[in-house]
Amino acid sequence: MTLREETQRREAEFLSPYACPSAASRGRQRSEEECPIRTPFQRDIDRIVYSKAFRRLKHKTQVFLLPEGDHYRTRMTHTLEVARIARTIARALALNEDLTEAIALGHDLGHTPFGHAGERVLNQLMPGGFAHFRQSVRVVERLEKNGQGLNLTWEVRNGILCHTKGPAAATLEGQVVRLADHIAYINHDIQDALRGGILYPMDIPLQASEVLGFTHRARIDTLVRDAVEASTGQPEIRQSPPVAQAMLALKDFMFQSVYTNPAAKGEEGKAQDMLQALFEYFQKHPDELPDDFQSIRAEESVDRAVCDYIAGMTDPFAVEQFTRRFIPAGWSMK
C-alpha cells in the first residue's frame, strides 16, 4: 500500500459521510498517473501554490489601492486567511481539509489589479462580461503553464467557480470556502479600515457587535464556532439566524462606510481609467501582447487575449505598463 493509498484509507475511516474523500474525486480534465505519496487534492494544493498566478497575488489590491504601510492586506494575505478559517471549519466538521485548502488557495487567482475596481472596468470592456470567479477557473484551466492549465480536479475547480455567488458548490468543502471568504474579508477589511482611519471603533453597528463580538478576534471566533455548531450533522454549511443576520448587517455597513467611501476609494477612478486605456491600447496593438497570449488571440479573439493579459497584471505592473505607453519619458543631455 502506498502512502497515498494509506491516506485515502484513513479518509474513508475518519471523514464525515458528507465529506468528499479524495478517492471519490471525479478526476481531472486530462487523466494522469497517481502520485504514490500525495492524494489528488494534495497535488492540487502544490500546483496552485507553485503557480505564477498565486505568486502575483502578493502585489494585487484587496481593498485599499497601493496602501502605504506594511500591514494592510493584499489579495495574497486575504487568500491565506481564507485558507486558515476554512481549514478550521473543515477540520471541526470532519471534512476533507486538503480539498478545502486547495479551493481556498485558488479561489482568487483570477482577480484583477486594483481589486473589484479593476473587475468592474473589465466587465464593462470585455464582450460577454467579466467576473473574477470565472477568470480564476480560466487561470487554472487555460492560462497557467503556457496554456496547458494546472489540470486540477473537478471538485477544486467547482469550488473555485462557486466561491462567491450563484449556485452553492457541489461539495461541503466548497461551501465552507464560500463562507470563510465572507468571514475573512468582512473582518480584515474592518481591521484595515480602522488602521487607516476610515473607521473608528464606535462606528461599528452596536447590534452586530453584541452578537459577534467587539474585536477582530472575537468576531472571527463567533462566526467560526457558529458555522461549526449550525452545520454539524447537516448536508450543507449553515449559520444560525442571529449570527447570519449580524454578519449581513456588518457587510451592509462596510459597503456603506468603506467600500463606497471616497476617502478609501477616491483613487479607484484613476485606476479604472488606466486599465481602460491599456485595454484599448492593446486592442489596437495586439502584436505587443506577450507570446503567451498570441495563441489566445489566434484561437479565441483579440479581446479575450487582452482581457486575460490585463486581468493577470499586478498593481505595480499595470502602472508600469501605463507609464511606458502614455507618459513621456525624460530625456537628458550627456
Side-chain angles (χ1 to χ4, degrees):
M1 180 178 290
T2 65
L3 288 174
R4 170 185 53 79
E5 291 170 332
E6 173 61 20
T7 299
Q8 291 177 322
R9 184 196 66 78
R10 292 198 302 269
E11 286 180 352
E13 183 176 353
F14 293 111
L15 289 183
S16 162
Y18 297 118
C20 179
S22 59
S25 171
R26 299 190 193 184
R28 306 181 185 278
Q29 290 177 296
R30 302 182 302 276
S31 61
E32 298 179 5
E33 183 178 351
E34 293 282 6
C35 175
I37 298 176
R38 297 168 298 164
T39 69
F41 300 145
Q42 290 171 345
R43 294 180 81 182
D44 286 354
I45 292 171
D46 292 342
R47 292 178 184 193
I48 291 168
V49 169
Y50 291 122
S51 70
K52 292 185 292 184
F54 185 80
R55 292 195 294 274
R56 290 196 298 268
L57 294 177
K58 66 182 177 179
H59 294 303
K60 292 197 176 193
T61 289
Q62 173 59 29
V63 170
F64 298 96
L65 272 64
L66 303 173
E68 295 180 1
D70 294 332
H71 300 120
Y72 290 95
R73 267 72 172 194
T74 64
R75 192 62 56 178
M76 170 74 81
T77 54
H78 161 73
T79 294
L80 296 176
E81 291 186 29
V82 172
R84 290 310 309 156
I85 292 170
R87 283 198 66 165
T88 297
I89 296 172
R91 183 183 300 117
L93 295 175
L95 301 178
N96 192 316
E97 290 184 56
D98 293 325
L99 172 56
T100 305
E101 183 175 14
I103 296 169
L105 293 175
H107 82 280
D108 269 354
L109 292 179
H111 235 299
T112 61
F114 308 114
H116 290 287
E119 182 175 17
R120 287 192 293 272
V121 74
L122 288 186
N123 186 48
Q124 295 170 1
L125 295 170
M126 179 62 193
F130 177 94
H132 79 274
F133 53 92
R134 289 195 294 268
Q135 188 70 10
S136 294
V137 175
R138 182 168 172 81
V139 166
V140 301
E141 290 184 347
R142 176 70 172 87
L143 301 181
E144 277 291 322
K145 296 190 69 175
N146 300 317
Q148 298 180 54
L150 300 180
N151 199 27
L152 304 182
T153 55
W154 182 90
E155 291 77 14
V156 173
R157 289 181 284 122
N158 172 260
I160 291 172
L161 180 65
C162 299
H163 83 265
T164 186
K165 60 177 62 175
T171 63
L172 261 64
E173 290 82 357
Q175 294 177 31
V176 165
V177 171
R178 179 187 281 199
L179 178 57
D181 185 30
H182 285 75
I183 292 173
Y185 83 70
I186 291 172
N187 285 285
H188 64 50
D189 291 352
I190 289 175
Q191 196 173 52
D192 281 357
L194 290 169
R195 180 177 291 113
I198 304 299
L199 291 180
Y200 294 92
M202 64 285 296
D203 295 330
I204 300 172
L206 179 60
Q207 290 181 328
S209 295
E210 288 175 339
V211 174
L212 302 178
F214 289 85
T215 66
H216 177 79
R217 176 180 179 180
R219 286 189 296 269
I220 291 181
D221 184 68
T222 299
L223 288 162
V224 169
R225 286 172 180 264
D226 178 78
V228 171
E229 292 170 3
S231 304
T232 297
Q234 301 297 324
E236 62 182 356
I237 301 303
R238 300 177 176 179
Q239 293 178 286
S240 67
V243 168
Q245 291 168 9
M247 183 172 168
L248 181 60
L250 209 54
K251 182 178 178 181
D252 290 342
F253 163 74
M254 289 298 290
F255 271 95
Q256 295 170 9
S257 303
V258 176
Y259 302 144
T260 58
N261 188 322
K265 298 298 194 177
E267 298 297 297
E268 283 191 349
K270 297 177 184 178
Q272 291 178 314
D273 290 344
M274 183 170 61
L275 294 184
Q276 180 171 344
L278 285 172
F279 195 101
E280 293 170 352
Y281 178 88
F282 285 113
Q283 281 181 315
K284 296 175 181 176
H285 305 90
D287 289 343
E288 295 187 31
L289 290 168
D291 291 343
D292 292 351
F293 298 90
Q294 293 300 333
S295 61
I296 297 172
R297 171 191 175 187
E299 296 168 11
E300 299 181 60
S301 69
V302 170
D303 287 343
R304 182 72 263 175
V306 172
C307 184
D308 287 340
Y309 182 44
I310 292 178
M313 291 181 178
T314 61
D315 297 12
F317 185 74
V319 172
E320 186 272 330
Q321 290 294 304
F322 179 85
T323 301
R324 180 190 300 181
R325 288 168 172 82
F326 295 100
I327 306 299
W331 186 81
S332 61
M333 297 181 66
K334 294 182 180 180

